[in-house]
Amino acid sequence: MIMLASPLIAMNGEAAEAIAFYEQALEAKVVFKQTFGEIPEPKEPISEEIQKRINHSVLKLGDAEMYVSDKLPGETHSVGNQVTVCLTVDTTEHAQRLFDALKQGGEVHQPLQPIFFSPAYGIVTDKFGVTFYVFTKRPA
């Protein structure tokens, strides 16, 4: 039985920058962050450059969690739609604030606008290549 499904965003050395960006853009709270250099008893020596990369992080977005980490050099990494995140908020103002922050340096695929199932819905890929669907619930 699945207890919790959380998006994991794998970066190629930009995880620390992405975490700082998501703290600002998504109002995320970092509840855990560990670099490769902080791993207890690594199996093999780690270069200074790799020690600075993020091994694992947990960000809280409301009641949800999102993980952001770096791949090790040589691990396969591709930028694009390998991960998409749907952000559901209660107000169009909140949706607009998140959307505006995420589009800085990114690309808007669908402007934030009313649509038949939402008063504010849009799709944006941020400057790290992660696509977000921003969605405002219709009042009950």
Side-chain angles (χ1 to χ4, degrees), residues 8-18 36 49-50 52-54 68-79 82 128-130:
L8 183 143
I9 299 173
M11 305 303 252
N12 193 25
E14 307 94 357
E17 181 184 355
F36 282 100
E49 176 195 341
I50 294 173
K52 296 176 186 173
R53 288 186 174 209
I54 303 298
V68 180
S69 66
D70 280 311
K71 298 253 185 195
L72 289 171
E75 286 186 293
T76 304
H77 180 267
S78 61
V79 173
Q82 74 276 17
F128 299 105
V130 178

Side-chain angles (χ1 to χ4, degrees), residues 12-112:
N12 193 25
E14 307 94 357
E17 181 184 355
I19 290 166
F21 177 72
Y22 296 138
E23 282 183 284
Q24 194 71 28
L26 300 178
E27 303 161 8
K29 305 290 183 228
V30 177
V31 295
F32 179 81
K33 183 168 65 172
Q34 179 184 59
T35 64
F36 282 100
E38 295 170 326
I39 295 173
E41 302 178 33
K43 294 180 182 176
E44 46 189 79
I46 301 173
S47 73
E48 282 188 43
E49 176 195 341
I50 294 173
Q51 286 182 30
K52 296 176 186 173
R53 288 186 174 209
I54 303 298
N55 175 53
H56 184 61
S57 71
V58 179
L59 283 63
K60 290 288 284 184
L61 293 89
D63 291 334
E65 290 184 345
M66 181 170 76
Y67 307 142
V68 180
S69 66
D70 280 311
K71 298 253 185 195
L72 289 171
E75 286 186 293
T76 304
H77 180 267
S78 61
V79 173
N81 62 0
Q82 74 276 17
V83 173
T84 58
V85 179
C86 182
L87 302 173
T88 303
V89 297
D90 291 333
T91 68
T92 57
E93 294 80 14
H94 194 186
Q96 190 69 59
R97 191 168 59 247
L98 296 177
F99 194 85
D100 288 346
L102 289 167
K103 74 180 184 182
Q104 298 303 311
E107 179 182 356
V108 173
H109 301 285
Q110 180 173 325
L112 190 70

